[in-house]
């Protein structure tokens, strides 16, 4: 059975670490998984990622940014996600559509429905089967990042706290708007506990 599972959340929510551990767990059980990320995941999409996240690009217009995310998303779907779904795999994707709705639509103020429209064109209406929202207070998330010197700090990490509060609030509103695919996880718990909660949500979805 194929499933398209997306991992969403603010900075420092631990979703990327949880994703790697879940991938190992599911593989050990014999599931065929594809672990990937946005923006990026294929050579063309990674090139677009570099333009978006380059700290030198301070003149980047908000709509340009939203369009680049959508372009990267489409290329990634065409080259990686759609083929994997056809092959019956479990696709575990670090960020997808809801990141654009939360960051560009909500926090950046472009409007959720405006950004959704651009993305419906890009994705031809491909929604995830399951979206795990790693919910955490922005202060706590940013504190975790600062402590973890191994992680690169990108342009968006540096945005002020208000921006991250807007991201969180929009993610939570999306979870209400799409209750059939969203599961909200308390990401302030330990990594082991969050992985366990996420694992259970995936197993529940697989059993449907
Ligand atoms: P990344 O280093 O991958 O961050 P993280 O580990 O938190 O996922 O950088 C991705 C950044 O891009 C992150 O700050 C969120 C942002 N982003 C958007 O603003 N819109 C989007 O559509 C996506 C996919 C990401």
């Amino acid at each position: 059975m194929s499933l398209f599972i997306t991992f969403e959340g603010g900075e420092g929510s631990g979703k990327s670490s949880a994703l790697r551990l879940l991938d190992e767990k599911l593989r050990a059980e014999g599931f065929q998984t594809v672990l990937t990320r946005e923006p990026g995941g294929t050579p063309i999409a990674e090139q677009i990622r570099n333009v978006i996240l380059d700290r030198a690009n301070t003149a980047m217009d908000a709509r340009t940014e939203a369009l680049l995310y959508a372009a990267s998303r489409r290329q990634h779907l065409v080259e990686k996600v759609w083929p994997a779904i056809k092959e019956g795999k479990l696709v575990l994707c670090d960020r997808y559509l809801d990141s654009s709705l939360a960051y560009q639509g909500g926090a950046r103020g472009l409007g959720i429905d405006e950004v959704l429209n651009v993305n419906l064109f890009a994705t031809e209406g491909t929604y995830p089967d399951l979206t795990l929202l790693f919910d955490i207070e922005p202060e706590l998330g940013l504190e975790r990042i600062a402590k973890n010197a191994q992680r690169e700090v990108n342009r968006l990490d540096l945005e002020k706290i208000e921006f991250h509060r807007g991201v969180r609030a929009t993610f939570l509103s999306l979870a209400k708007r799409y209750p059939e695919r969203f599961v909200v996880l308390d990401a302030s718990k330990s990594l082991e506990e969050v992985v366990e909660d996420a694992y259970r949500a995936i197993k529940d979805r697989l059993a449907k």
Side-chain angles (χ1 to χ4, degrees), residues 17 20 37 143-154 157:
S17 312
R20 279 190 294 276
R37 71 160 180 187
E143 207 175 278
R144 280 184 182 170
I145 290 174
K147 277 193 195 141
N148 183 1
Q150 310 239 295
R151 188 192 178 288
E152 66 190 276
V153 173
N154 66 47
D157 287 341

Side-chain angles (χ1 to χ4, degrees), residues 3-203:
L3 272 189
F4 180 27
I5 306 171
T6 58
F7 289 62
E8 299 283 6
E11 321 293 314
S13 64
K15 67 178 166 46
S16 308
S17 312
L19 194 153
R20 279 190 294 276
L21 293 170
L22 285 160
D23 180 54
E24 280 170 21
K25 215 168 150 92
L26 291 163
R27 271 173 190 269
E29 286 179 23
F31 287 102
Q32 284 196 305
T33 62
V34 172
L35 194 162
T36 189
R37 71 160 180 187
E38 273 205 14
T42 73
I44 294 170
E46 288 287 338
Q47 286 177 54
I48 301 173
R49 175 190 174 90
N50 291 338
V51 175
I52 303 171
L53 298 181
D54 187 339
R55 287 165 132 191
N57 287 340
T58 50
M60 176 91 62
D61 171 74
R63 285 183 185 232
T64 305
E65 187 182 61
L67 290 165
L68 287 173
Y69 277 119
S72 158
R73 177 158 304 130
R74 170 150 193 98
Q75 192 63 31
H76 180 242
L77 277 176
V78 170
E79 285 196 74
K80 206 159 179 180
V81 178
W82 285 337
I85 288 171
K86 252 199 193 142
E87 289 165 12
K89 297 191 170 143
L90 288 187
V91 179
L92 308 178
C93 187
D94 197 344
R95 296 196 183 279
Y96 183 64
L97 167 70
D98 300 299
S99 278
S100 282
L101 302 182
Y103 284 80
Q104 283 68 53
R108 195 71 81 193
L110 291 180
I112 294 172
D113 288 311
E114 282 79 356
V115 176
L116 179 60
N117 280 337
V118 168
N119 276 276
L120 287 177
F121 172 74
T123 65
E124 297 177 55
T126 301
Y127 285 97
D129 298 303
L130 174 64
T131 299
L132 300 171
L133 174 57
F134 289 69
D135 180 51
I136 192 162
E137 295 232 353
E139 285 85 351
L140 187 54
L142 294 176
E143 207 175 278
R144 280 184 182 170
I145 290 174
K147 277 193 195 141
N148 183 1
Q150 310 239 295
R151 188 192 178 288
E152 66 190 276
V153 173
N154 66 47
R155 187 167 62 83
L156 293 166
D157 287 341
L158 303 175
E159 298 280 353
K160 53 189 187 309
I161 197 85
E162 274 311 311
F163 179 84
H164 296 288
R165 290 207 182 102
V167 169
R168 184 188 189 205
T170 313
F171 271 134
L172 289 171
S173 76
L174 291 169
K176 288 214 174 88
R177 178 167 170 169
Y178 301 107
E180 68 290 348
R181 68 176 170 90
F182 261 90
V183 172
V184 182
L185 305 170
D186 177 359
S188 68
K189 292 186 187 173
S190 73
L191 182 59
E192 293 69 31
E193 286 175 296
V194 183
V195 166
E196 194 49 45
D197 292 347
Y199 176 74
R200 223 171 299 126
I202 293 172
K203 280 305 181 83

